Amino acid sequence: MSAAVQPHTVDQTDVSHIVRASLGLGVLESVAVIVIGLISKYLDGIVEQALLLVLVSGAVLAVTFLPGLWTRARSIEGIAGAAGIGLAAAWVFLVVDVLFLQGAWLPFSLYTHRWRDIGGGSNWWYHPIWWMVGTYLPWLGAWILANQASRRAEPGISSAAALVLGGTVLSTVVANLLHVPGAGWNAGTFGVAFLPGLALATIVSVLGARRK
């Protein structure tokens, strides 16, 4: 980092900042899951799929890029801090999931126990998947922002989002053309395709980035 850069303008990874950001992101994830769950529970058809597509896109983009923006990721420290926010936020959501969303404290279950049933009655097979995805998204999102920042003063969130969505659409099309099991022209496939789409966008973002 250049000596001309003022302290705390980049790579903000102090513990209190990470904790506050993790709590905020965890609450955001919980609200997003609640809204998406209610739409899936009470709507159907094209209206359901259209709303889910918008909400899933917005939610995954927020989880992907907010941590990197909060840490002002410019180097490995800020990228790692963003990944840490994502991991801790996943823990926050999972507490909400176990205590509330699976129906223990609600007058109705937001969603069924299918995940626990598949895992033999345990949450602990799918919770680690949420931890991994919750860390993967902000890790690569912060990497993209850092690559953009190496080419200009500030990263462009709109261009970063467009790059990732482009990779996701491409992954969705390829999955359907190759008849990947379970793939379809729906919000669920789009959500899963976001994972390889983000990886493709990260690779593209590296091109032209200055080494530090």
Side-chain angles (χ1 to χ4, degrees):
M1 181 166 57
S2 171
V5 177
Q6 296 298 317
H8 308 302
T9 58
V10 295
D11 295 323
Q12 298 180 19
T13 57
D14 58 286
V15 174
S16 61
H17 180 65
I18 296 296
V19 170
R20 288 193 301 270
S22 300
L23 291 173
L25 187 63
V27 171
L28 186 151
E29 290 177 3
S30 300
V31 171
V33 169
I34 290 171
V35 174
I36 290 170
L38 290 173
I39 289 174
S40 298
K41 189 177 181 72
Y42 293 110
L43 295 179
D44 204 354
I46 188 65
V47 175
E48 177 195 12
Q49 289 301 315
L51 288 175
L52 287 179
L53 184 60
V54 172
L55 289 171
V56 168
S57 298
V60 294
L61 285 173
V63 173
T64 298
F65 291 115
L66 282 178
L69 292 174
W70 290 337
T71 62
R72 294 186 57 81
R74 299 296 184 271
S75 69
I76 190 64
E77 180 178 345
I79 294 171
I85 290 173
L87 176 59
W91 294 342
V92 172
F93 166 75
L94 292 175
V95 171
V96 176
D97 177 51
V98 171
L99 293 180
F100 300 103
L101 304 187
Q102 293 181 20
W105 297 93
L106 291 177
F108 61 92
S109 296
L110 181 63
Y111 38 73
T112 69
H113 296 300
R114 62 188 179 279
W115 299 118
R116 291 198 302 178
D117 293 340
I118 291 172
S122 172
N123 288 309
W124 298 105
W125 80 272
Y126 86 88
H127 279 187
I129 295 175
W130 189 279
W131 300 341
M132 288 185 282
V133 173
T135 306
Y136 169 85
L137 296 182
W139 171 49
L140 292 192
W143 199 349
I144 291 174
L145 295 176
N147 287 333
Q148 287 189 333
S150 72
R151 293 190 292 269
R152 51 190 168 187
E154 292 290 336
I157 187 63
S158 58
S159 59
L163 184 63
V164 176
L165 291 176
T168 303
V169 170
L170 176 61
S171 298
T172 302
V173 171
V174 170
N176 280 279
L177 291 179
L178 295 179
H179 302 290
V180 174
W185 303 103
N186 51 52
T189 299
F190 184 86
V192 174
F194 191 90
L195 302 178
L198 177 59
L200 289 173
T202 304
I203 293 172
V204 172
S205 75
V206 172
L207 303 177
R210 296 194 302 271
R211 301 292 182 185
K212 293 187 179 181

